Amino acid sequence: MIDPVAFAIGPIVIRWYALAYLAGIFLGVGYGMLLLRRKSLWVNGTPPMTPDELFDFTFWIVIGIIVGGRLGYVLFYDPLVFAANPGQIIALWDGGMSFHGGMLGLMVAMIVYLNRKKANILSGLDLLACCATIGLFLGRVANFINAELYGSVTTMPWGVIFPGGGDLPRHPSQLYEGLLEGVLLFLVIRYFTHVKLVLRRPGTAAGIFGVGYALSRIFVEFFRLPDSHIGYLAFGWLTMGMVLSLPILITGIALIVWSQKRRHG
């Protein structure tokens, strides 16, 4: 039992979930600025933007994540309820955010920004791939603190009894995702960017992220309970999270293959 409220000042309540989002964004931006300063990592020694431009872009990162994440949840997970109550779409305080939607919103914001600058869009997506794992890890820890998105019943010694999850221990699937999508994927991408120098092949890091995230999410979905109002889509194991991860997996593979075949200056 962990209090989801980090602290309160009078009527102002600050939750761990909000702090995790903010910390993920600003730590990700900080790491991205470090990457941008290492010009030798990028194709032709030209990063997609300057560190100062990335800092200025932070506001659009926040908007892209929030708008995309909320609309993604509305469209993917509960469209009929929100169609009947459209006013609830803006009720972010009631919860309901989709990572897939947030990632799409962030990508759209980056593409529009870099297109206006006539910068390398694929390098921009590579930059997002390098930084997104930080926010993923912190977001999953916040899910664990909130006792949400937990897994099925388990006899493993690390099983957790969650409030609202009954009296039996369950898989802490939030932490599984945090370790795979966050820590492990960060280390994998870091190896490829700093040892294999894949940032010189725009699109490769973004492809690695797509494949790594999709495989991690699909694997953890076998332990994570699906949303109660959706349940399993088929076969007693297929979930919406798996279905939404498949296009990411296919796109990631395509990006890796295409970037390796393309001639770079």
Side-chain angles (χ1 to χ4, degrees), residues 24 28-29 31-33 35 54 126-136:
V29 168
Y31 180 62
M33 292 173 72
L35 292 176
L54 177 60
D126 286 339
L127 178 65
L128 291 182
C130 294
C131 305
T133 52
I134 298 173
L136 275 172

Side-chain angles (χ1 to χ4, degrees), residues 195-220:
V195 178
K196 297 299 184 180
L197 302 176
V198 298
L199 291 177
R200 297 177 184 177
R201 291 185 173 273
T204 304
I208 293 171
F209 173 84
V211 172
Y213 170 79
L215 291 179
S216 298
R217 178 66 183 267
I218 290 171
F219 173 74
V220 175

